[in-house]
Amino acid sequence: MTSVQVDLNSETEGWRIGNELIECRVRVVAGELVRQVTDLTRDRVVIPASNTPHLEVDLDRVLWGQPSVTAEEQPDGSTVMQCETETDDGIRLTRSFQVWPGFPFVRTWGVVENRRGEPFTVTAAEILNLTMPPRQNLFHVNQFSWVYRRDFFNQYDVPLTEGRAATEIRMGSFPSSYSGPSSCAWFAL
């Protein structure tokens, strides 16, 4: 098993994080942070260039400026690459990409920070944005983290009540008894 490689010096072609199995390339195009994922074992792009999820604040779409890009190795052997930009009016966006040695996937998440002296309203936010090539499967998901339900992909409604506990939905492609990092998608409120 090899380590995670990161290239932070390629501003024209994008910054890269990956291992011997997968590579994620990130760059800014017309104010959008774009990422592309390549399966290195098959030399095939599995997620073509796709905008990261967008955000609107006070009805205005937040655009990416030139980000500062850093990488930090984690205690579990993974590496997190972070792209961070701050708008002129005090909105900081951070998008993180995490890769583990020997695992063929990239974990990603984003953070929005209010650096203004006053509140703002998030008027739109995407959770996931993927551009998929034709005739390709992306996820293999057949279980959830909560008590197994036999209606895996039926609608699951959760009542949201202000001041009550958060809601979290998780999906994974490894059994729930798997103790290492897994390929998963989740949503939390």
Side-chain angles (χ1 to χ4, degrees):
M1 187 181 326
T2 62
S3 63
V4 175
Q5 297 86 37
V6 179
D7 179 3
L8 301 179
N9 299 317
S10 184
E11 293 183 14
T12 56
E13 295 183 26
W15 306 276
R16 295 176 295 183
I17 184 169
N19 57 31
E20 72 279 8
L21 304 172
I22 197 137
E23 176 186 80
C24 179
R25 185 179 298 249
V26 181
R27 64 187 193 279
V28 176
V29 177
E32 298 289 344
L33 192 67
V34 175
R35 53 62 174 91
Q36 175 176 304
V37 178
T38 303
D39 177 345
L40 298 176
T41 63
R42 295 186 181 113
D43 193 29
R44 154 179 94 110
V45 173
V46 292
I47 300 176
S50 301
N51 293 347
T52 56
H54 89 274
L55 175 74
E56 276 184 18
V57 170
D58 298 326
L59 300 175
D60 290 323
R61 188 170 182 136
V62 179
L63 298 178
W64 279 80
Q66 188 64 27
S68 66
V69 183
T70 60
E72 184 175 335
E73 188 171 336
Q74 304 299 300
D76 63 2
S78 68
T79 299
V80 174
M81 180 175 76
Q82 288 190 318
C83 301
E84 182 178 286
T85 192
E86 189 166 331
T87 64
D88 291 338
D89 60 349
I91 300 169
R92 180 182 291 168
L93 302 175
T94 305
R95 178 60 61 177
S96 300
F97 303 87
Q98 185 173 20
V99 173
W100 284 262
F103 288 90
F105 61 87
V106 178
R107 177 181 179 222
T108 183
W109 67 94
V111 175
V112 179
E113 294 177 65
N114 183 354
R115 311 283 289 178
R116 298 176 176 179
E118 60 190 47
F120 64 71
T121 302
V122 174
T123 50
E126 291 179 340
I127 295 170
L128 182 65
N129 182 0
L130 296 175
T131 302
M132 292 299 301
R135 297 174 305 282
Q136 181 170 330
N137 295 329
L138 176 64
F139 295 119
H140 167 72
V141 177
N142 66 357
Q143 78 273 336
F144 293 89
S145 295
W146 60 72
V147 176
Y148 289 126
R149 298 162 50 106
R150 293 293 166 215
D151 58 347
F152 294 163
F153 287 100
N154 286 346
Q155 183 173 342
Y156 179 64
D157 292 327
V158 177
L160 299 177
T161 306
E162 188 174 342
R164 294 232 176 129
T167 297
E168 184 173 302
I169 300 171
R170 296 188 235 181
M171 301 174 282
S173 62
F174 290 99
S176 61
S177 60
Y178 182 74
S179 62
S182 67
S183 174
C184 67
W186 61 271
F187 171 75
L189 293 174

